[in-house]
């Protein structure tokens, strides 16, 4: 969708002064002390029904009508991060935090909080350990332990309104770069900030830009890798949904720095809301003249287009992503030549991921020194993690680099349900590895994670407890990569399935200790021999679990036992006659008719018929079905 | 919901993009969305428009997961097999659903009523295990719950 | 002229040469499967990997695509290199057991048997993609391509049925390193296209 010439002529910002004037007008128009209701409309909260909550709040406000002195505005925002507690409603300016809000709560919120200034106790967050009710966002441990740089505006602004983003400071970095700095100064600022790529490998961003910038003149490109394929990771989705202008802004700055006039965002098709918000951001930025020709009167031209991914994890690899943007099969190609010399359409190109681009906006706005003051010596800044799995507070967290693993999981994450420790934390997606509880004090930064046999990756952090089997986890990731391997290079195409087959045998209680030694040797060949990082890191899931959980492998092979009770061939289901009420739920659920027993009397499972599908386990409301 | 083939003019879709190879995937995506699959005729039209050899377009159409060369079912269920969902038993949920619908693996039922697909992470991990039924998120889904939702669709 | 060492021997290379070009120019043998002079190097089979050493660091690169650079220290026969080759060859023995070329090459690396399951005893195709590249880059016919991806990948014409694009020139047969093409070509000579080189469906 293009804005018409007339519209854009009306809104176009021709200079830095016009931008600053607009910003101060926007700020003046909104009183920060005014009461406002914020409803989270991230994918998680929407799926939990937040759109219905918004409507109910609107209706309740309308019904209260003249009884309300100053009618508060309702703002829908991107993801607040605390997804397991959604739908979330926050009342400004006091930041009263209501969680798991239902449409039927709307009336009470309006009557008590908006009209009478009281809090609705039962909607407050309760500290899982102390049981204390917590009133405001800042005091909730999940938020208190975070340092929000990339996520700063998410949850504060309406991502579909550029004016709201402008009020929060959007495009200040672009303004500074384009009107006050030479391209090389921009690159130097990014180098001095110490920013390293947030997509996984951690390559210094500014150095990468320099390599592309050294090609004088000619067509160049910047690209945004928004093909967030790691299972268990949704940082980039939330940034695009909640603050798309941060990504657009970063790319404009990058384009200016290396001399590119076109940017491409390659987004997963599984993220429809992110695509919608990005598209809206592009239209609005064009209308303000922040994209297009002669941006802010600087003489710099730049525009961005969006490519939707078509379902191939390997396209997260930079050369494969570029082939896909060219309309081709997404197979990686060997480097050199590096994309900074010969990338998209054979032209010098710079690819960074969503979080990296968002950081660039902040660095240009607040300065390289400010950024370099965050994090550790070699890993500057913050990192956003998707904290998921067996953890109380599931959601998005942003923390300074170097924070201890334990602090993220046990403090911000609120610990593991029913346990005082985690069994393992998986970082780095399929390329990464599992870190054990012994590593709880490990500082989370690029280099420490690699030394521990895992990696930062894009930021998935999956918490596992004693009911999770490490052989099964390794098998899961290899199965994933086997499905996603492009099949071009032989070590990956042939080797990953062989690793997975070996683990399959282990999970059936078959195999020998010799097989473990062979695994190491084959893993080494795949790591060293593969063409791209998908194959090059594929064995990490096996290697890291073997490194820390070898005894669990041996239990499968030598004792034919799955200690976690996961591997189908090594477990049995049974019904505890003491607990069973004979309600028949399991009998109805069992697809094999393996469960029998009279009504209201304890049932039994016929093991010879049982296929271990777990349906009885799921259907039992009394916890009578046991796994051994 | 996809429109029926009769309502949509394939030429209109083809004309949305310039005739360059880089628009091959855009075109295949739009056709997939409109018709639920990419027919041999549609693939030929796309090749004529973009100048991509048919063998290469076929390679692309079979490389990416989101393209289907055969019609999909009326109702599409995606079961997420991302890590968070995997840990919470989504593999069994997918297996149970497919068994119930008489499918050996991901695919379409013979009566073209259902297509079951697995997807590697919908990025909605707080809702794990999660499924999409015709695009609607089903948070914290269980086998019985999902069956119920799916059966309801069949009755409509 | 660039100067580098391969297996401890000082050698010279012209700018633009790959490491494979350089080694072969100096009579140093490096095995390859997906490489052919007539088409662009592809870097897929990874048999041509060599070890680059820089101080204490070392890594493997595909010599067919890696450019000769001044001062490089290259090893073509190290344990790291041979571990990769042995595993690839052993896995190929189970993937395409019908190929005598693969059996011979494996034997040179001491790999006589495979511990992996053989799914198709007739299979010869190793999916090196030489036929596809030759058909596109040399002939310009673009009659065949890879189909699918990963372990399910195969090679054939669209819909794995005869089309009009094949000109029956036989170039694919000439470049095929295992003879997979000629066996299939015999079978489809009567029809106007190469129907299918390798299918996972058998």
């Amino acid at each position: 969708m293009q804005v018409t010439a007339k519209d854009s002529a009306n809104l176009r910002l021709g200079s830095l002064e016009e931008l600053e004037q607009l910003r101060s007008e926007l700020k003046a128009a909104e009183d920060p002390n005014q009461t406002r209701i914020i409803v989270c409309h991230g994918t998680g909260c929407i799926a939990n029904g937040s759109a219905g909550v918004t409507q109910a709040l609107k209706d309740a406000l309308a019904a209260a009508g003249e009884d309300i002195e100053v009618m508060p505005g309702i703002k829908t925002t991107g993801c607040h991060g605390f997804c397991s507690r959604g739908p979330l409603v926050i009342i400004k300016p006091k930041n009263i935090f209501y969680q798991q809000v239902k449409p039927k709560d709307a009336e009470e919120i309006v009557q008590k909080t908006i009209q009478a200034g009281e809090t609705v106790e039962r909607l407050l967050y309760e500290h899982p350990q102390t049981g204390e009710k917590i009133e405001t966002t800042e005091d909730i441990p999940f938020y208190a332990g975070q340092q929000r740089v990339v996520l700063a505006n998410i949850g504060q602004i309406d991502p579909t309104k550029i004016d709201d983003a402008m009020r929060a400071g959007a495009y200040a970095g672009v303004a500074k770069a384009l009107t006050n700095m030479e391209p090389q100064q921009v690159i130097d600022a990014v180098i001095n900030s110490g920013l390293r790529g947030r997509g996984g490998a951690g390559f210094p961003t500014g150095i990468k830009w320099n390599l592309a910038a050294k090609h004088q003149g000619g067509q160049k490109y910047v690209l945004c890798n928004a093909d967030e394929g790691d299972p268990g990771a949704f940082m980039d989705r939330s940034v695009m949904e909640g603050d798309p202008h941060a990504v657009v802004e970063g790319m404009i700055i990058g384009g200016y720095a290396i001399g590119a006039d076109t940017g491409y965002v390659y987004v997963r098709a599984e993220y429809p809301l992110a695509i919608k918000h990005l598209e809206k951001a592009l239209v609005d930025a064009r209308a303000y003249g922040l994209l297009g020709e002669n941006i802010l009167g600087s003489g710099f031209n730049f525009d961005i287009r969006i490519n939707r991914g078509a379902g191939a994890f390997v396209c997260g690899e930079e050369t494969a992503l570029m082939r896909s943007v060219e309309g081709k099969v997404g197979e990686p190609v060997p480097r050199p030549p590096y994309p900074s010399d010969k990338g998209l359409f054979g032209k010098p190109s710079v690819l960074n991921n969503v979080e990296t681009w968002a950081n660039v906006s902040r660095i240009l706005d607040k300065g390289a020194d400010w950024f370099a003051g965050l994090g550790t010596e070699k890993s500057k800044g913050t990192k956003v993690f998707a904290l998921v799995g067996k953890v109380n507070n599931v959601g998005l967290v942003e923390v300074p680099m170097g924070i201890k693993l334990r602090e993220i999981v046990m403090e911000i994450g609120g610990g593991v349900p029913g346990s005082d420790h985690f069994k393992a934390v998986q970082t780095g997606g399929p390329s990464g590895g599992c870190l054990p509880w012994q590593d709880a004090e490990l500082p989370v930064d690029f280099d420490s994670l690699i030394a521990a046999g895992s990696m930062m990756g894009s930021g998935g952090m999956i918490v596992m407890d004693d009911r999770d089997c490490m052989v099964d986890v390794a098998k899961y990731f290899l199965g994933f990569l086997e499905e996603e391997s492009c099949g071009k290079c032989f070590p990956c195409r042939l080797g990953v399935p062989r690793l997975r087959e070996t683990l399959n045998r282990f999970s059936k209680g078959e195999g020998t200790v010799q097989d473990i030694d062979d695994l190491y040797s084959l893993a080494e060949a795949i790591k060293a021999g593969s063409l791209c990082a998908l194959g090059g890191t594929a064995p990490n899931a096996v290697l890291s679990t073997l490194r820390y959980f070898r005894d669990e492998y041996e239990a499968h092979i030598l004792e034919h036992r799955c200690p976690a009770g996961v591997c189908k061939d090594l477990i049995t289901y049974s019904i505890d006659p003491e607990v069973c009420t004979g309600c028949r739920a399991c009998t109805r659920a069992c697809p094999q008719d393996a469960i029998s027993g009279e009504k209201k009397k304890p049932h039994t499972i016929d093991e010879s018929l049982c296929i271990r599908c777990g349906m009885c386990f799921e259907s039992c409301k009394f916890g009578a079905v046991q796994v051994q | 919901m996809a429109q029926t083939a009769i309502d949509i003019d394939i030429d209109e879709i083809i004309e949305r993009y310039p005739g360059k190879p880089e628009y091959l995937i855009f075109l295949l995506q739009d056709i997939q969305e409109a018709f639920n699959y990419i027919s041999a005729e549609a693939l030929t039209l796309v090749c004529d428009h973009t100048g991509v050899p048919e063998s290469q377009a076929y390679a692309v159409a079979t490389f990416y997961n989101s393209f289907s060369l055969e019609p999909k079912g009326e109702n599409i269920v995606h079961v997420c097999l991302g890590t968070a969902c995997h840990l919470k038993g989504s593999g069994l949920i997918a297996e149970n659903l497919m068994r119930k619908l008489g499918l050996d693996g991901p695919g379409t039922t013979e009566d073209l009523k259902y297509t079951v697909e697995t997807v590697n992470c919908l990025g909605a991990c707080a809702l794990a295990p999660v499924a999409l039924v015709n695009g609607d998120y089903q948070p914290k889904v269980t086998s019985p719950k999902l069956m119920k939702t799916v059966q309801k669709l069949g009755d409509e | 002229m660039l100067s580098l060492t391969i297996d401890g021997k000082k050698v010279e290379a012209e700018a633009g040469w790959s490491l494979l070009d350089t080694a072969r120019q100096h009579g140093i043998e490096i095995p390859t499967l997906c490489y052919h002079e007539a088409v662009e190097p592809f870097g897929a089979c990874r048999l041509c990997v060599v070890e680059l050493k820089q101080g204490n660091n070392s890594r493997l690169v595909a010599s067919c695509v890696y450019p000769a650079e001044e001062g490089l220290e290259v090893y073509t026969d190290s344990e790291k290199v041979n571990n990769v080759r042995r595993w690839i060859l052993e896995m190929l023995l189970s993937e395409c057991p019908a190929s005598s070329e693969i059996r011979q090459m494996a034997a040179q690396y001491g790999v006589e048997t495979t511990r992996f399951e053989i799914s198709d005893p007739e299979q010869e195709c190793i999916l090196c993609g030489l036929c596809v590249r030759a058909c596109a880059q040399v002939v310009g016919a673009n009659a065949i391509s890879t189909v699918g991806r990963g372990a399910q990948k195969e090679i054939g014409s669209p819909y794995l049925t005869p089309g009009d694009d094949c000109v029956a020139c036989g170039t694919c047969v000439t470049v095929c390193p295992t003879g997979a093409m000629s066996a299939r070509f015999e079978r489809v000579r009567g029809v106007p296209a190469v129907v299918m080189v390798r299918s996972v469906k058998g």
Side-chain angles (χ1 to χ4, degrees), chain A residues 191-258:
Chain A
I191 292 176
N192 293 335
S193 75
L195 176 65
R196 293 168 68 173
R198 284 346 190 208
F203 192 83
T205 305
I207 308 263
K208 192 154 147 181
W209 291 15
N210 239 348
L211 294 171
K214 73 174 196 287
H215 297 276
Q216 297 291 321
Q219 182 68 55
K220 297 180 207 172
Y221 299 103
V222 293
L223 297 98
C224 174
N225 186 348
D227 192 42
E228 186 172 53
D230 284 7
F234 54 97
M235 303 76 52
D236 295 345
R237 194 204 67 200
S238 293
V239 172
M240 289 183 284
E241 282 180 12
D243 191 7
H245 291 286
V247 181
V248 173
E249 180 176 4
M251 291 181 74
I252 301 171
I253 294 167
Y256 176 72
I258 73 154

Side-chain angles (χ1 to χ4, degrees), chain C:
Chain C
M1 275 303 201
L2 303 161
S3 155
L4 54 152
T5 67
I6 301 183
D7 298 333
K9 193 171 126 187
K10 240 185 143 77
V11 297
E12 291 198 319
E14 278 179 31
W17 282 6
S18 68
L19 291 178
L20 180 67
D21 295 335
T22 312
R24 288 193 171 168
Q25 205 58 235
H26 293 87
I28 300 164
E29 234 350 275
I30 295 176
T32 60
L33 281 170
C34 74
Y35 176 81
H36 195 286
E37 298 86 346
V39 295
E40 294 283 319
F42 197 46
C45 77
R46 315 306 282 181
L47 277 186
C48 76
V49 288
V50 294
E51 187 169 358
L52 292 187
K53 279 195 183 152
Q54 282 169 309
N56 286 332
N57 291 331
S58 97
R59 64 188 173 117
L60 299 191
V61 299
S63 62
C64 66
V65 285
Y66 201 91
E69 288 165 8
E70 182 67 34
L72 282 184
E73 195 183 328
V74 183
Y75 295 86
T76 69
D77 201 28
S78 66
E79 179 44 35
K80 209 170 175 176
V81 165
N82 287 327
N83 184 49
V84 172
R85 290 183 188 152
R86 280 194 303 264
W87 277 109
I88 293 174
L89 289 163
E90 185 177 337
M91 293 189 289
L92 283 175
L93 281 183
S94 75
E95 268 272 305
C96 9
S99 164
S100 57
E101 290 82 356
I102 296 297
R103 278 200 304 277
Q104 275 169 23
M105 200 184 248
Q108 284 172 20
Y109 284 85
V111 180
E112 305 279 354
T113 56
T114 179
R115 74 196 81 186
F116 303 113
E117 205 178 310
I118 291 170
S119 55
D120 179 3
E122 303 294 316
Q123 190 59 266
E124 286 180 293
C125 175
I126 57 170
L127 289 170
C128 69
L130 264 177
C131 51
V132 173
R133 284 176 286 144
C135 187
Q137 295 170 24
V138 179
V139 187
N142 286 301
I144 48 175
S145 68
T146 57
V147 178
R149 75 167 184 229
Q152 303 300 313
K153 199 171 226 174
E154 37 193 322
I155 283 174
S157 49
Y159 302 96
L160 304 178
T161 52
D164 306 329
D165 292 333
C166 174
V167 295
C169 66
T171 305
C172 53
V173 177
T174 317
V175 297
C176 178
T178 67
M181 259 301 177
S182 56
R184 301 301 201 278
F185 199 73
E186 279 297 321
R187 212 165 52 174
V188 297
R189 196 189 290 254
V191 300
V194 175
V195 175
M196 181 191 305
V197 179
R198 171 192 165 122
S199 164
V200 285
K201 286 151 206 121

Side-chain angles (χ1 to χ4, degrees), chain A residues 251-576:
Chain A
M251 291 181 74
I252 301 171
I253 294 167
Y256 176 72
I258 73 154
D261 66 0
T262 307
Y264 290 83
V265 185
Y266 189 89
V267 199
R268 280 186 95 195
E270 286 87 345
Y271 289 176
L273 191 62
I275 294 173
K276 195 173 137 195
H277 286 185
L278 264 177
E279 279 171 347
K280 178 74 165 62
L282 294 181
V283 169
D284 291 348
R286 279 185 203 118
Y288 275 151
L290 293 163
L291 285 173
E293 291 189 1
N294 194 16
I295 298 169
L296 295 176
S298 65
F300 173 62
N301 309 328
F302 186 78
D303 210 332
I304 294 175
R305 63 175 242 195
I306 297 172
N307 285 59
R308 275 180 300 152
F313 173 75
V314 70
C315 288
E317 198 277 346
E318 66 173 349
T319 60
L321 185 149
M322 290 177 193
R323 298 297 83 73
S324 188
V325 172
E326 291 167 359
K328 296 176 185 160
V329 162
E331 284 179 357
V333 295
R335 299 172 301 182
Y338 288 93
S340 51
D341 296 323
K342 251 182 117 181
L344 184 63
F345 300 114
K347 306 295 181 195
S349 306
V350 162
L351 174 93
N352 288 123
N353 101 320
V354 170
E355 194 181 333
T356 312
W357 286 122
N359 269 305
V360 166
S361 312
R362 307 286 189 258
I363 289 167
L364 267 289
D365 180 20
K366 298 187 168 182
D369 292 341
W370 161 80
F371 190 84
L374 308 171
T376 68
E377 197 198 331
K378 285 187 173 161
S379 299
K380 300 294 187 195
T382 59
K383 180 76 193 80
V384 185
F385 290 99
L387 190 58
V388 304
K390 308 292 178 66
V391 60
N392 280 315
N393 302 337
V394 172
L396 272 195
V397 304
E398 182 171 0
V399 289
M401 293 272 195
I403 189 173
K404 306 270 196 295
L405 191 57
R406 181 187 46 75
E407 294 176 77
I408 300 181
V409 179
M410 305 308 284
E411 290 172 20
I412 298 172
V416 179
S419 178
D420 61 356
H421 68 283
F422 54 79
K423 176 175 181 178
V425 175
Q426 208 279 348
T427 71
S431 300
C434 287
L435 304 164
W437 177 245
Q438 299 94 278
D439 276 344
E441 299 301 320
L442 188 79
V444 176
D445 61 60
F446 286 109
D447 309 299
S448 304
L449 286 175
I450 286 179
S454 185
M455 65 186 283
M456 182 74 82
S458 58
M461 195 171 261
I462 298 137
V463 182
M464 302 180 191
D465 68 8
D466 292 329
R467 297 268 300 148
D468 294 316
C469 168
M470 293 298 115
V471 176
D472 179 72
V473 165
K475 194 176 83 174
Y476 164 79
F477 280 113
L478 286 167
F480 173 90
L481 291 170
E482 178 177 348
E483 215 173 275
E484 295 295 347
S485 165
C486 77
K488 177 175 176 175
C489 85
F490 290 22
C492 177
R493 188 189 86 228
L494 300 169
V496 173
R498 300 296 93 79
L499 288 180
R500 203 256 314 137
E501 283 161 16
T502 308
L503 293 182
N504 253 359
R505 287 195 286 119
F506 290 178
S507 70
K508 290 182 178 151
E510 297 162 9
T512 61
V513 175
Q514 177 63 41
D515 286 336
I516 296 184
D517 293 339
D518 289 353
L519 267 186
Y520 277 112
S521 171
L522 174 55
E524 193 43 54
I526 297 170
K527 264 181 109 149
S530 291
L531 195 167
C532 84
L534 189 153
T537 58
N540 282 355
V542 186
L543 293 175
S544 75
T545 45
L546 264 177
R547 174 167 164 182
Y548 297 114
F549 302 95
R550 190 177 169 118
D551 52 341
E552 200 168 336
Y553 278 80
E554 289 176 351
H556 283 74
I557 300 169
L558 303 175
E559 300 164 34
H560 316 296
R561 188 169 69 79
C562 174
V566 172
C567 294
K568 259 186 168 187
D569 294 285
L570 303 178
I571 56 170
T572 51
Y573 283 91
S574 60
I575 295 173
D576 185 344

